[in-house]
């Protein structure tokens, strides 16, 4: 049994709803097929965007959506994606499968998607192969509500009002696919490019600099030293593999309990990354004005057999649900610095929320975690103290419990808890400090009998949230059992 002391009267940082952000790239079947089917498609759609996906994403309350990449962003030329679709030039998507990109999904289509699902757009600009002028014009095109050549062009293309895009990334992975730059060189480029990301309204654009890959602390040091005063956010990218080895990522299904353990251990490494990068940021920005924006995270496994290796299509199991739940709990705990994250990616790519096959769609276990956890969006973090039992595998051990609690604007408390053990259930007792009595309920996502339980097109509801049975409240104590390999969210309404 583990006892958790929840300090319900001490509100810590606010859990920025943008921690629940998503990422959509022109990669494989994410944008094309997954989101965009075109107005003439037999698949029911609104202005070319598939209705089933719109409805599922509305339900998830996606706060912010990153686009068009990823690596694709640094070879994307936005002017190719506006105007009549039949006139748009084609290009080669050199990063992802070498397939032809017809530019049918461009700025207007992306903004329409954001409008339909109620998300803020987060645009990633092209530093790797684009000019300062091109970036400047894109921002003018999207945001200028006054008279100007780009505002007129936008109106000519059917959009009179500016979109007032809030979030703008200046390049992606500039240390890698975005130009293989050194941090000193990119820091100077960031200073230059970001100067021309102009403000056209009272609300300034939130500018996000390309941050480090995983544990590249030197990158963070240089960027913060040279440019922290010109940025609002610094990104961080970290992916979880099934083996802990980048070159051999392991399979999304059919894995062993050892791989289950290794994956969750690799997930917990996110905390060390946040702590160490934040410590460097604190040196230059003690008031925490610059957000740590983890705009790519999630599982990265081998692609499904028989699929294009450049399309990064993978299944999604209860293990992915645990990876999502643990990461989100960590982001809450560090929400004084982590203000936005974007899981990769929203449909059909990597740790997706949704998988599609023709007109069919399935919601993944990761989708269900985002759905269950959305109650934490904009709530205030509460301090939760506990000593977790160990989860052991061979000579290694990690904590068995990952937990986070928050209080929302109605005073309702939510506790999200993950049992990392693949084999053992865990009894949890919450000691709610400052609460005399409460009404409690809970939802749990758990594997059927297999560790790699997942939703397929033949069996789309194999893994779905259920009511958590046996939860009890006695005065300020709430008790429940987390089944092995499960993610739960408990709702506590104080009486
Ligand atoms: O999300 C897939 C890819 O991973 C992105 O395009 C890139 O930024 C990262 O390497």
């Amino acid at each position: 049994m583990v006892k958790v002391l929840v300090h319900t009267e001490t509100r810590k940082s606010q859990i920025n709803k943008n921690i629940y952000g998503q990422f959509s790239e022109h990669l494989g079947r994410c944008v094309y097929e997954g989101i965009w089917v075109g107005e003439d498609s037999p698949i029911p759609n609104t202005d070319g965007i598939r209705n089933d996906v719109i409805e599922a994403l509305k339900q998830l309350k996606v706060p912010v959506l990153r686009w068009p990449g990823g690596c694709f962003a640094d070879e994307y030329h936005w002017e190719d994606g506006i105007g009549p679709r039949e006139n748009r030039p084609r290009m080669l998507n050199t990063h992802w499968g070498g397939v032809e990109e017809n530019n049918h999904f461009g700025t207007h289509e992306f903004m329409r998607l954001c409008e339909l699902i109620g998300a803020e757009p987060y645009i990633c600009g092209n530093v790797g192969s684009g000019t300062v002028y091109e970036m400047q014009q894109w921002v003018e095109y999207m945001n200028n509500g006054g008279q100007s050549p780009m505002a007129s062009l936008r109106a000519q293309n059917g959009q009179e009002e500016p979109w007032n895009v809030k979030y703008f990334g200046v390049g992606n992975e500039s240390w890698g696919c975005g130009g293989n730059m050194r941090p000193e060189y990119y820091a100077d480029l960031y200073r230059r490019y970001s100067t021309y990301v102009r403000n056209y309204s009272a609300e300034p654009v939130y500018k996000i600099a390309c941050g480090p890959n995983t544990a590249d602390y030197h990158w963070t040091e240089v960027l913060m030293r040279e440019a922290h005063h010109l940025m609002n956010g610094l990104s961080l990218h970290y992916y979880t593999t099934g083996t802990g080895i980048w070159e051999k990522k392991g399979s999304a299904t059919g894995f062993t309990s050892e791989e289950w353990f290794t994956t969750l251990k690799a997930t917990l490494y996110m905390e060390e990354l946040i702590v160490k990068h934040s410590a460097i940021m604190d040196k230059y920005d003690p008031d925490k004005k610059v957000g740590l924006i983890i705009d790519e995270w999630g599982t990265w496994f081998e692609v499904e057999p028989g699929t294009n290796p450049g399309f990064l299509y993978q299944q999604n199991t209860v293990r992915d649900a645990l990876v999502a739940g643990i990461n989100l709990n960590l982001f809450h705990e560090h929400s004084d610095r982590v203000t936005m994250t974007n899981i990769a990616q929203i449909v059909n790519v990597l740790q997706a929320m949704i998988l599609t096959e023709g007109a069919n769609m399935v919601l993944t276990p990761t989708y269900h975690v985002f759905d269950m956890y959305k109650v934490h969006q904009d709530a205030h973090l509460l301090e939760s103290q506990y000593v977790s039992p160990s989860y052991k595998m061979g000579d290694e051990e990690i904590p068995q419990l990952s937990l986070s609690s928050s209080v929302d604007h109605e005073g309702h408390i939510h506790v999200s808890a993950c049992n990392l053990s693949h084999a053992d259930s865990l009894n949890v007792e919450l000691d709610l400090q400052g609460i005399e009595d409460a009404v409690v309920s809970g939802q749990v996502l758990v594997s059927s009998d297999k560790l790699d339980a997942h939703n397929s097109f033949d069996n789309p509801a194999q893994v779905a949230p259920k009511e958590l049975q046996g939860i009890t409240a006695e005065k300020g104590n709430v008790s429940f059992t987390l089944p092995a390999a499960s993610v739960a969210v408990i709702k506590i309404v104080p009486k």
Side-chain angles (χ1 to χ4, degrees):
M1 201 266 280
V2 56
K3 196 167 173 122
V4 183
L5 221 59
V6 183
H7 297 272
T8 66
E9 283 160 339
T10 323
R11 293 173 178 222
K12 297 176 82 184
S13 45
Q14 189 169 21
I15 298 169
N16 194 317
K17 65 178 178 185
N18 288 342
I19 282 176
Y20 286 80
Q22 299 280 340
F23 172 32
S24 53
E25 181 168 11
H26 289 237
L27 193 178
R29 298 186 303 112
C30 180
V31 166
Y32 297 105
E33 286 186 44
I35 294 169
W36 177 259
V37 287
E39 285 148 346
D40 300 332
S41 170
I43 297 175
N45 67 83
T46 303
D47 301 332
I49 300 168
R50 46 191 302 167
N51 289 345
D52 51 357
V53 169
I54 294 171
E55 284 315 310
L57 295 178
K58 264 163 71 177
Q59 161 73 17
L60 220 47
K61 292 200 188 323
V62 177
V64 59
L65 182 59
R66 182 173 184 244
W67 175 83
C71 296
F72 181 76
D74 279 293
E75 63 177 356
Y76 181 62
H77 299 282
W78 70 273
E79 313 90 316
D80 295 346
I82 56 169
R85 283 190 206 103
E86 62 279 11
N87 298 341
R88 296 185 191 174
R90 290 155 189 267
M91 68 176 282
L92 209 55
N93 188 335
T94 62
H95 278 290
W96 303 119
V99 293
E100 192 181 81
E101 158 71 51
N102 63 15
N103 277 308
H104 281 193
F105 190 88
T107 304
H108 291 252
E109 291 78 11
F110 174 66
M111 296 300 173
R112 182 74 177 122
L113 167 66
C114 289
E115 184 180 85
L116 287 167
I117 64 171
E120 284 285 346
Y122 165 16
I123 299 286
C124 185
N126 179 348
V127 171
S129 70
T131 63
V132 178
Y133 181 60
E134 192 179 338
M135 188 179 284
Q136 180 185 27
Q137 290 210 311
W138 198 8
V139 177
E140 181 189 317
Y141 186 87
M142 295 186 289
N143 283 4
N144 187 18
Q147 294 289 314
S148 80
M150 288 302 107
S152 306
L153 184 60
R154 184 188 66 235
Q156 199 182 306
N157 287 327
Q159 179 69 26
E160 193 71 45
E161 293 302 315
W163 287 292
N164 293 323
V165 169
K166 265 197 208 161
Y167 303 104
F168 196 91
V170 180
N172 168 74
E173 296 196 351
S174 305
W175 38 261
C177 65
N180 285 309
M181 302 177 202
R182 294 170 302 111
E184 293 78 7
Y185 180 67
Y186 171 73
D188 279 346
L189 279 192
Y190 174 79
R191 293 168 65 117
R192 179 168 167 234
Y193 275 70
S194 63
T195 302
Y196 298 92
V197 175
R198 302 288 195 201
N199 294 320
Y200 294 95
S201 72
E203 188 171 7
V205 176
Y206 187 101
K207 297 177 196 176
I208 299 167
C210 166
N213 177 21
T214 314
D216 185 351
Y217 300 112
H218 176 62
W219 185 281
T220 300
E221 180 78 40
V222 174
L223 261 291
M224 288 302 289
R225 189 182 68 217
E226 303 300 334
H228 76 272
H229 58 296
L230 296 172
M231 66 175 81
N232 305 103
L234 181 72
S235 69
L236 164 65
H237 288 183
Y238 170 57
Y239 284 98
T240 306
T241 66
T243 58
I245 304 165
W246 187 248
E247 292 70 30
K248 191 173 173 292
K249 300 185 177 67
S251 170
T253 54
F255 46 81
T256 61
S257 48
E258 283 78 14
E259 284 176 86
W260 167 281
F261 180 92
T262 308
T263 307
L264 301 192
K265 186 172 179 215
T267 303
L268 292 166
Y269 179 50
M270 180 66 94
E271 174 141 52
E272 179 177 327
L273 294 173
I274 295 173
V275 168
K276 291 191 172 166
H277 286 295
S278 297
I280 300 168
M281 294 174 82
D282 286 349
K283 226 165 62 173
Y284 297 96
D285 174 37
D287 296 335
K288 300 190 191 299
K289 290 188 186 139
V290 179
L292 183 58
I293 310 294
I294 306 173
D295 57 15
E296 289 189 29
W297 66 274
T299 55
W300 193 320
F301 300 125
E302 282 150 23
V303 298
E304 287 305 302
T307 64
N308 187 327
F311 281 13
L312 309 186
Y313 178 73
Q314 63 191 42
Q315 247 301 350
N316 194 296
T317 68
V318 171
R319 179 176 59 164
D320 293 79
L322 266 293
V323 172
I326 296 166
N327 271 309
L328 291 168
N329 285 346
L330 288 174
F331 300 153
H332 297 169
E333 296 302 311
H334 294 280
S335 51
D336 57 337
R337 181 63 86 179
V338 177
T339 54
M340 187 200 293
T341 87
N342 308 78
I343 187 171
Q345 298 194 3
I346 198 160
V347 191
N348 289 337
V349 169
L350 297 175
Q351 191 176 350
M353 305 301 113
I354 294 172
L355 302 177
T356 67
E357 195 178 76
N360 300 323
M361 173 189 91
V362 294
L363 305 178
T364 65
T366 301
Y367 176 96
H368 293 306
V369 171
F370 271 72
D371 196 23
M372 287 159 64
Y373 269 55
K374 69 186 180 204
V375 288
H376 287 297
Q377 290 190 17
D378 278 344
H380 278 86
L381 180 69
L382 296 173
E383 171 136 13
S384 318
Q385 286 176 309
Y386 61 95
V387 179
S388 170
S390 289
Y391 167 33
K392 294 187 180 140
M393 183 69 67
D395 297 340
E396 297 191 283
E397 57 185 86
I398 56 176
Q400 187 182 352
L401 177 67
S402 157
L403 179 143
S404 176
S405 33
S406 73
V407 57
D408 69 13
H409 68 281
E410 289 180 279
H412 298 166
I413 294 164
H414 294 100
V415 177
S416 42
C418 306
N419 180 0
L420 280 64
S421 171
H422 70 281
D424 298 326
S425 61
L426 181 62
N427 296 331
V428 181
E429 187 181 308
L430 305 174
D431 183 350
L432 304 169
Q433 300 283 294
I435 290 187
E436 295 294 313
D437 208 358
V439 177
V440 291
S441 56
Q443 277 196 308
V444 67
L445 192 74
V446 64
S447 113
S448 41
D449 52 343
K450 291 192 195 141
L451 276 184
D452 70 347
H454 56 273
N455 295 332
S456 65
F457 294 97
D458 294 332
N459 193 353
Q462 172 82 2
V463 187
K466 294 189 278 215
E467 199 184 317
L468 182 65
Q469 301 292 329
I471 180 164
T472 59
E474 210 185 305
K475 302 204 171 137
N477 287 322
V478 175
S479 304
F480 56 93
T481 300
L482 285 175
S486 68
V487 179
V489 174
I490 315 298
K491 180 176 179 183
I492 299 155
V493 181
K495 277 198 202 162

